[in-house]
Amino acid sequence: MSKIIPATLYASVFLLLLTGMACLRGVGRWTNPEYVQFITILAEAKKNNTEENKRKLAAYSFDFDHWPADFTWSEVIGRKGGSVVKGDVPLLRPEHKHRGSADGFFTNLLRYPCRVVSYLIASSFGRRMLYPGSVSLLQKAIMPMLLQGQARLMEEYDGRRAKLIACDGNQIDTVVVERRTAGTENGKRLVICCEGNAGFYEVGCVSTPLEAGYSVLGWNHPGFGGSTGVPFPQNEANAMDVVIQYAIHRLNFQIEDIIVYAWSIGGFTATWAAMNYPEISALILDASFDDLVPLALKVMPEGCRGLVTRTVRDFLNLNNAEQLCRYQGPLLLVRRTKDEIITTVPEDISSNRGNDLLLKLLQFRYPKVMAEEGVRVVREWLSASNALQETALYSRYEVDDDWCISVLQSYRSEHGEVFPWTVGDDMTTEGRRQLAIFLAHKYMRNFDATHCTPLPASEFTLPWTL
């Protein structure tokens, strides 16, 4: 008792000090006319969430958790396509091979401890390494920059902030800049931007389509900025789904007028959107990759290959190429010639994982053209690091653009547009080489820059179509 009584006294004094500080803060707020005005606007916005009230509210910076919800996934019932009424949106899952029922049971039993270890790795430092922008310490460090970028979007571009509620309950922080009233062709189209692993819409890739004159919808990954949750693949897909639904059902953009633009790791949600909403106008992937496993193995010890592969496949499976091959529409890949992030060998452009993304896409869409010889010449084209080398390769194989276009148009008119195409089945080796290089040149464009260099508006072009 002689020790408990002094401890109780100290605790009481501490609680009294905390109470006094809270009271002083309350008095200070309520005697501040600006704060009283803010509280009045916030209460009115929660009661009557009109555009005018939201514009008034956007003048203040405060905890986004108190921002009134603007759109909820449950508002759209019985929608067409990748719809959900309850639970998560669908994802492509990795296939696990089982040799037999009894053997499979014991294998699963033995695999369970490994799966627990993989989950702990993915939930602790794994997802923080993959998405450093979700680390609160980093967000606090760059908060002044984020606030400045947010103010710029609101003041210079007349942007509107909105809170979306995904099907998993996460709050998604978004901003939209509408330009349909400007009367331009670009303004009639909406570009949905998917940021990188340390990107925020306040300072991210939204600037590129904005400068190009498009209407833009930016959003933050779960756990980034005002968005809640953690950026696991399932949460990412849930967030992307509600963003697209918001664009269609609240902003009233036609799905055919929506372009999905992604930078770096944003390629996962962009390819998921293209796979589940194939009617979109176009897909643009900038500095993206085919699969996370090779990039994860690059930065982890050699002895952990099995554990790293299993962890990625089970909990961080960013299978961009697999999702992309389920999309039939127009797309463009932008490769950074000096990319230092998604290359597995430093300063070696042929190890850029964007190359593998292109190869897997072409092999799916044009399997006859991309036979052994087709793959070889495309890899040779991908090893070119500048426009001069590309032109020399084009000339050496005597690629005739007009002939290639006529062959593809003729095949499409006879067999339709659904991939994969069997064009090149009865073609000479020289013809398939020409077609392979032509297709690689049309689907991928080089940008002489590093991974994090902003893409200029002049480089933001729509994909090639027949």
Side-chain angles (χ1 to χ4, degrees):
M1 290 299 294
S2 61
K3 294 180 180 180
I4 293 176
I5 292 175
T8 305
L9 181 61
Y10 293 144
S12 301
V13 171
F14 181 70
L15 290 175
L16 186 62
L17 286 173
L18 284 180
T19 304
M21 291 168 64
C23 291
L24 285 173
R25 185 180 67 171
V27 171
R29 285 179 172 180
W30 287 113
T31 55
N32 185 335
E34 290 185 3
Y35 186 83
V36 172
Q37 184 182 21
F38 158 69
I39 285 294
T40 304
I41 294 173
L42 178 61
E44 181 62 27
K46 288 184 175 182
K47 187 188 305 180
N48 188 13
N49 195 14
T50 62
E51 290 295 328
E52 181 62 27
N53 286 336
K54 283 191 291 186
R55 286 186 184 279
K56 292 179 181 178
L57 199 59
Y60 298 92
S61 175
F62 61 99
D63 188 350
F64 194 66
D65 186 57
H66 296 280
W67 186 282
D70 297 281
F71 183 81
T72 307
W73 67 278
S74 58
E75 292 182 25
V76 183
I77 303 298
R79 58 185 184 267
K80 184 180 177 181
S83 61
V84 291
V85 175
K86 186 179 181 180
D88 296 322
V89 299
L91 274 184
L92 297 180
R93 303 291 181 182
E95 294 182 4
H96 296 286
K97 297 179 181 179
H98 305 289
R99 283 173 272 181
S101 58
D103 190 28
F105 172 76
F106 289 110
T107 302
N108 288 334
L109 192 62
L110 293 173
R111 187 185 292 126
Y112 186 76
C114 298
R115 188 173 174 83
V116 172
V117 173
S118 295
Y119 174 76
L120 293 175
I121 292 173
S123 301
S124 55
F125 66 87
R127 62 103 173 164
R128 289 175 173 83
M129 288 179 63
L130 187 58
Y131 289 93
S134 64
V135 178
S136 58
L137 188 62
L138 174 64
Q139 293 189 36
K140 289 179 180 178
I142 64 172
M143 184 57 67
M145 188 188 306
L146 296 181
L147 293 176
Q148 185 178 3
Q150 191 179 105
R152 175 173 168 266
L153 289 171
M154 304 300 171
E155 295 169 8
E156 294 184 21
Y157 295 99
D158 196 27
R160 299 199 317 271
R161 203 176 181 190
K163 179 196 284 187
L164 316 183
I165 308 299
C167 59
D168 52 14
N170 284 336
Q171 302 170 5
I172 307 303
D173 184 6
T174 68
V175 66
V176 60
V177 177
E178 278 201 57
R179 288 172 167 165
R180 282 180 286 192
T181 57
T184 62
E185 285 300 316
N186 287 354
K188 295 176 183 177
R189 292 185 173 185
L190 177 70
V191 178
I192 297 178
C193 298
C194 304
E195 299 290 347
N197 64 353
F200 300 77
Y201 72 68
E202 292 91 341
V203 291
C205 64
V206 297
S207 60
T208 299
L210 275 178
E211 293 174 6
Y214 288 90
S215 296
V216 174
L217 174 57
W219 61 282
N220 281 332
H221 297 284
F224 284 55
S227 297
T228 61
V230 290
F232 281 115
Q234 184 64 70
N235 296 346
E236 289 276 294
N238 294 341
M240 188 67 195
D241 184 66
V242 75
V243 167
I244 294 182
Q245 293 297 334
Y246 171 69
I248 298 171
H249 297 283
R250 182 58 59 85
L251 300 179
N252 297 318
F253 278 92
Q254 297 297 316
I255 186 70
E256 296 82 7
D257 293 328
I258 293 177
I259 301 167
V260 178
Y261 168 52
W263 173 60
S264 190
I265 209 169
F268 172 73
T269 48
T271 53
W272 182 90
M275 175 179 67
N276 287 276
Y277 296 90
E279 304 90 353
I280 61 173
S281 175
L283 173 66
I284 302 175
L285 301 178
D286 179 12
S288 197
F289 52 88
D290 63 322
D291 187 36
L292 182 62
V293 170
L295 297 174
L297 293 174
K298 180 185 76 169
V299 298
M300 297 302 288
E302 182 68 23
C304 300
R305 292 180 65 89
L307 179 61
V308 170
T309 303
R310 184 166 52 248
T311 301
V312 170
R313 285 285 175 257
D314 288 345
F315 301 103
L316 301 168
N317 191 32
L318 305 186
N319 49 346
N320 297 353
E322 185 181 5
Q323 295 184 152
L324 184 62
C325 288
R326 297 180 181 236
Y327 170 60
Q328 297 277 327
L331 66 98
L332 175 67
L333 306 179
V334 179
R335 182 180 66 163
R336 311 295 184 98
T337 57
K338 299 176 182 176
D339 201 310
E340 73 284 13
I341 301 298
I342 62 170
T343 51
T344 54
V345 179
E347 299 182 1
D348 182 6
I349 193 171
S350 61
S351 70
N352 189 307
R353 295 307 300 187
N355 301 345
D356 300 87
L357 184 60
L358 174 67
L359 285 168
K360 290 175 182 179
L361 173 71
L362 294 181
Q363 286 176 314
F364 170 76
R365 290 194 171 190
Y366 311 96
K368 302 300 182 182
V369 174
M370 294 300 294
E372 184 177 348
E373 187 64 18
V375 172
R376 186 189 68 79
V377 295
V378 170
R379 286 195 181 277
E380 187 178 354
W381 180 82
L382 289 169
S383 65
S385 58
N386 55 60
L388 188 61
Q389 293 178 3
E390 287 183 29
T391 304
L393 189 68
Y394 229 64
S395 300
R396 179 150 60 90
Y397 286 103
E398 300 178 345
V399 179
D400 186 345
D401 287 8
D402 294 334
W403 177 81
C404 293
I405 291 173
S406 65
V407 168
L408 294 172
Q409 288 178 339
S410 175
Y411 179 91
R412 185 183 64 176
S413 62
E414 292 180 13
H415 301 88
E417 300 183 351
V418 179
F419 296 107
W421 287 7
T422 58
V423 61
D425 192 18
D426 54 353
M427 195 177 291
T428 63
T429 303
E430 291 74 14
R432 284 197 292 269
R433 286 174 184 167
Q434 280 195 58
L435 209 52
I437 296 175
F438 172 81
L439 289 168
H441 177 70
K442 291 299 182 182
Y443 276 98
M444 176 175 278
R445 185 164 46 79
N446 283 331
F447 176 45
D448 187 24
T450 58
H451 186 80
C452 295
T453 303
L455 187 71
S458 58
E459 296 288 334
F460 189 82
T461 57
L462 294 182
W464 165 79
T465 55
L466 277 174

